[in-house]
Amino acid sequence: MDDDLKRLNPSVNYEDSPTGGLNNNDLLIQAHNRENENKQNNKTVDEDTFYRYFSLIMAFIFMIIILNVTFAAYKSIDPAALDSCRSIKSNDMIDVFSGVEDTDSAELALIRWSPENYTFTKSQIENCGRTGLFAYYFNEGNDTYIVCDDETIQYFETVCEEPRFMKKILIGLVTIFN
């Protein structure tokens, strides 16, 4: 502290004063330092808030991207993955006791069993029926029938199930963001 100031008024204890014994220059320097510190603290708080919101938004965007990529991969493996109804091949075999050698004879055997308007879709070599090796596929509406060369008919049953809660949410999210 300045000795000149003490000489002006020796009865005042400048050490216990509100200024703490500091002169005006020291007080101005401290005030200036406090202002700079407050500006830096406010700037830091603003930057922290910005980075928090920015990180939250980026995390949300990456979550959507990951969800879409996962959904696309899952759909490419199983196209009917999120459908609530599936066609399941029935274990029931119907004997038609009619020779099945080609597409026409397979359709005649199917019409004899149930007279409907059938549409031929494909034929392929596969294990079919009890001992058959060749299958003829016919559609009638939403139903698919398989006529096997061992004189049996199989069909696909449509089984529907109520989707679970998480499946409903997943379908909702994916349809919103696609």
Side-chain angles (χ1 to χ4, degrees), residues 119-148:
T119 306
F120 175 74
T121 55
K122 66 179 178 177
S123 59
Q124 64 186 28
I125 297 173
E126 66 177 53
N127 289 335
C128 178
R130 292 183 186 93
T131 59
L133 294 174
F134 208 76
Y136 302 94
Y137 286 79
F138 294 92
N139 285 342
E140 189 272 316
N142 291 333
D143 300 327
T144 301
Y145 296 93
I146 306 169
V147 181
C148 302

Side-chain angles (χ1 to χ4, degrees), residues 33-163:
N33 288 341
R34 266 185 265 140
E35 285 178 18
N36 287 341
E37 189 176 302
N38 286 339
K39 286 180 184 176
Q40 287 177 350
N41 285 343
N42 286 340
K43 189 176 180 182
T44 304
V45 169
D46 291 342
E47 287 176 358
D48 287 346
T49 304
F50 170 75
Y51 286 123
R52 283 183 187 152
Y53 284 125
F54 181 75
S55 299
L56 181 67
I57 290 169
M58 291 306 291
F60 187 70
I61 289 170
F62 281 118
M63 181 186 71
I64 291 169
I65 291 170
I66 289 171
L67 185 66
N68 281 334
V69 168
T70 304
F71 179 74
Y74 194 64
K75 285 290 273 188
S76 69
I77 293 171
D78 185 9
L82 297 176
D83 293 341
S84 59
C85 294
R86 296 177 189 258
S87 293
I88 299 173
K89 193 173 184 179
S90 172
N91 290 332
D92 296 338
M93 284 187 230
I94 301 154
D95 293 317
V96 289
F97 304 109
S98 175
V100 177
E101 298 168 358
D102 58 4
T103 307
D104 294 331
S105 61
E107 186 173 8
L108 285 174
L110 190 58
I111 290 173
R112 272 190 230 130
W113 170 68
S114 176
E116 298 288 336
N117 188 15
Y118 299 102
T119 306
F120 175 74
T121 55
K122 66 179 178 177
S123 59
Q124 64 186 28
I125 297 173
E126 66 177 53
N127 289 335
C128 178
R130 292 183 186 93
T131 59
L133 294 174
F134 208 76
Y136 302 94
Y137 286 79
F138 294 92
N139 285 342
E140 189 272 316
N142 291 333
D143 300 327
T144 301
Y145 296 93
I146 306 169
V147 181
C148 302
D149 62 350
D150 68 346
E151 300 177 358
T152 58
I153 297 174
Q154 288 182 295
Y155 56 92
F156 285 95
E157 294 177 330
T158 303
V159 178
C160 295
E161 63 181 18
E162 181 67 26

Side-chain angles (χ1 to χ4, degrees), residues 2 12 81:
D2 284 2
V12 176

